[in-house]
């Protein structure tokens, strides 16, 4: 397989390349799909947790406007 990944995590790039190779092989596609599904689930959970944490510090701003009738 072949993989490109930003950063310097050589191990993560190697794992991505192995998964890519597995996804291209008929006999290994099902196990690779299961691995990718688990990784995707973990990523979604991390993002949800991050959103929950940042949402707790969110400040709600609102603007009150006052309309004046122009006297002509």
């Amino acid at each position: 397989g072949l993989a490109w990944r930003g950063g310097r995590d050589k191990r993560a790039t190697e794992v991505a390349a192995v998964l890519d190779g597995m996804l291209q092989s008929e006999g290994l596609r099902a196990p690779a799909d299961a691995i990718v599904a688990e990784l995707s689930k973990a990523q979604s959970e991390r993002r949800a947790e991050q959103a929950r944490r940042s949402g707790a510090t969110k400040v709600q701003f609102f603007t009150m406007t006052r309309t004046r009738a122009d006297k002509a």
Side-chain angles (χ1 to χ4, degrees):
L2 175 69
W4 179 89
R5 186 176 188 276
R8 296 180 180 204
D9 190 344
K10 183 179 177 183
R11 180 72 178 140
T13 304
E14 290 171 347
V15 169
V18 169
L19 284 172
D20 179 59
M22 289 174 71
L23 288 167
Q24 294 179 37
S25 172
E26 285 295 323
L28 298 174
R29 184 170 295 146
D33 283 339
I35 294 168
V36 170
E38 285 296 318
L39 292 172
S40 179
K41 179 182 172 186
Q43 182 182 44
S44 294
E45 290 171 356
R46 281 192 309 272
R47 286 182 177 171
E49 176 64 18
Q50 183 179 20
R52 185 190 64 75
R53 285 184 183 170
S54 63
T57 62
K58 185 177 179 181
V59 178
Q60 296 290 333
F61 291 98
F62 65 94
T63 303
M64 293 179 61
T65 59
R66 192 170 73 175
T67 305
R68 278 191 341 199
D70 289 330
K71 295 184 179 182

